[in-house]
Amino acid sequence: MDYFSCCKLCPRECCVDRHNTIGFCRANDKLKIARAALHFFEEPPISGTNGSGAIFFSNCNLRCVFCQNYQISNENIGKEVSVSKFSDICINLQNQGALNINLVTPTHYVPLIREGLLLAKKKGLTIPIVYNTSSYESVSTIKMLNGIVDVYLPDLKYYSNELAIKYSSCPDYFKYATSAIEEMYRQVGSPVFDDNGIIKSGVIVRHLMLPGCYDDSVKIIDYLYEKYQDNIFISIMNQYTPIKKLKFSELNCVLSNDEYYKMIDYAYNLGIRNCFVQEEGTQKKSFIPDFSTQEF
């Protein structure tokens, strides 16, 4: 099936012919990768001590105004590769000792990624596949990955439709994201870890807290716990880092420690136990990968 001649891979459903033009995500019909290397700044069960084999795909179907990886989401940095080359990159990361293959912002390339992963598995890829997404996904696209992806690492960014439109121009984000996460959970279930605490399968939902959006964060945490209890892990993140001056003044500062700790206390008092939290000091540009050099 030709998914690119009238692209409907994500909820934007641009319906453009990506063989000849581009839609909102700015991707054509070729895989484009900005970076592929061992990455040590994910949740502990993903990075471990060896590192996650992170493959950062160029372009993005969300393009948040505050994106910390703006070089790849907005500036089209990267290198086009064939499906076969992509499969070799996966094998190379496995040979370097990567604990998993971590697909970062993959939505707009899913058909090609699926083909490449199947080829890589034929070449000897055995480590888990992590799908690392903004969650602005169509359920039909996620279903294409059933039996291929082992670990889903989705964001749940906004509860408020107003915030979703304001910061990401994505109406109905919460509706689409929660439907996609339901499908992810249906496929892989609750997290399973090996004897060293490294995740083998399951769902970890991330929520990046934004300055001034505490009430929205509460609604997201409420939803996740009511829906899944402790059958998923939740990662509550404080690492928001303003990297350029934005027209939204509330986003030109970091999240306060008081607001973050208040959120952690709220989650604990709600009953959440399967949760990752971050230490202070994560709000640094040094934690953001440098995409000016392609490491593959």
Side-chain angles (χ1 to χ4, degrees), residues 66 68 156-157 206-210 237-240:
F66 54 81
Q68 294 166 116
L156 191 52
K157 292 180 178 291
R206 287 173 162 173
H207 175 60
L208 174 66
M209 293 186 66
L210 296 174
M237 306 167 73
N238 67 353
Q239 69 188 50
Y240 173 74

Side-chain angles (χ1 to χ4, degrees), residues 27-76:
N28 61 20
D29 60 349
K30 304 290 191 302
L31 272 176
K32 193 168 189 178
I33 295 175
R35 188 174 189 267
L38 296 178
H39 189 59
F40 297 91
F41 302 126
E42 308 287 30
E43 285 77 4
I46 295 175
S47 291
T49 56
N50 287 14
S52 175
I55 302 176
F56 291 83
F57 294 94
S58 303
N59 303 304
C60 182
N61 72 318
L62 201 60
R63 301 217 320 266
C64 307
V65 296
F66 54 81
C67 181
Q68 294 166 116
N69 294 341
Y70 72 96
Q71 288 177 301
I72 62 173
S73 63
N74 288 279
E75 296 186 351
N76 204 29

Side-chain angles (χ1 to χ4, degrees), residues 2-174:
D2 184 355
Y3 291 95
F4 297 131
S5 60
C6 181
C7 188
K8 297 181 181 180
L9 287 173
C10 85
R12 295 196 188 276
E13 295 195 345
C14 297
C15 294
V16 299
D17 179 0
R18 284 172 53 183
H19 300 300
N20 297 298
T21 187
I22 58 175
F24 184 91
C25 69
R26 300 179 182 174
N28 61 20
D29 60 349
K30 304 290 191 302
L31 272 176
K32 193 168 189 178
I33 295 175
R35 188 174 189 267
L38 296 178
H39 189 59
F40 297 91
F41 302 126
E42 308 287 30
E43 285 77 4
I46 295 175
S47 291
T49 56
N50 287 14
S52 175
I55 302 176
F56 291 83
F57 294 94
S58 303
N59 303 304
C60 182
N61 72 318
L62 201 60
R63 301 217 320 266
C64 307
V65 296
F66 54 81
C67 181
Q68 294 166 116
N69 294 341
Y70 72 96
Q71 288 177 301
I72 62 173
S73 63
N74 288 279
E75 296 186 351
N76 204 29
I77 285 179
K79 177 182 177 182
E80 288 186 358
V81 300
S82 67
V83 167
S84 179
K85 175 62 176 177
F86 166 66
S87 69
D88 290 338
I89 289 170
C90 294
I91 294 295
N92 184 44
L93 288 168
Q94 177 173 269
N95 291 341
Q96 291 179 50
L99 296 171
N100 44 64
I101 298 299
N102 184 357
L103 309 168
V104 186
T105 59
T107 308
H108 41 297
Y109 296 118
V110 162
L112 299 172
I113 289 171
R114 183 181 188 278
E115 184 181 349
L117 290 174
L118 291 174
L119 180 58
K121 288 175 183 286
K122 289 181 180 178
K123 293 179 178 180
L125 185 69
T126 59
I127 55 179
I129 307 301
V130 178
Y131 191 83
N132 186 338
T133 173
S134 71
S135 299
Y136 200 46
E137 301 274 6
S138 296
V139 169
S140 58
T141 299
I142 297 300
K143 285 184 175 180
M144 292 168 58
L145 300 166
N146 192 16
I148 298 173
V149 167
D150 303 285
V151 179
Y152 282 103
L153 187 61
D155 294 335
L156 191 52
K157 292 180 178 291
Y158 314 108
Y159 185 93
S160 161
N161 198 42
E162 181 181 351
L163 290 178
I165 293 171
K166 181 179 181 181
Y167 296 149
S168 299
S169 301
C170 57
D172 298 321
Y173 170 85
F174 185 79

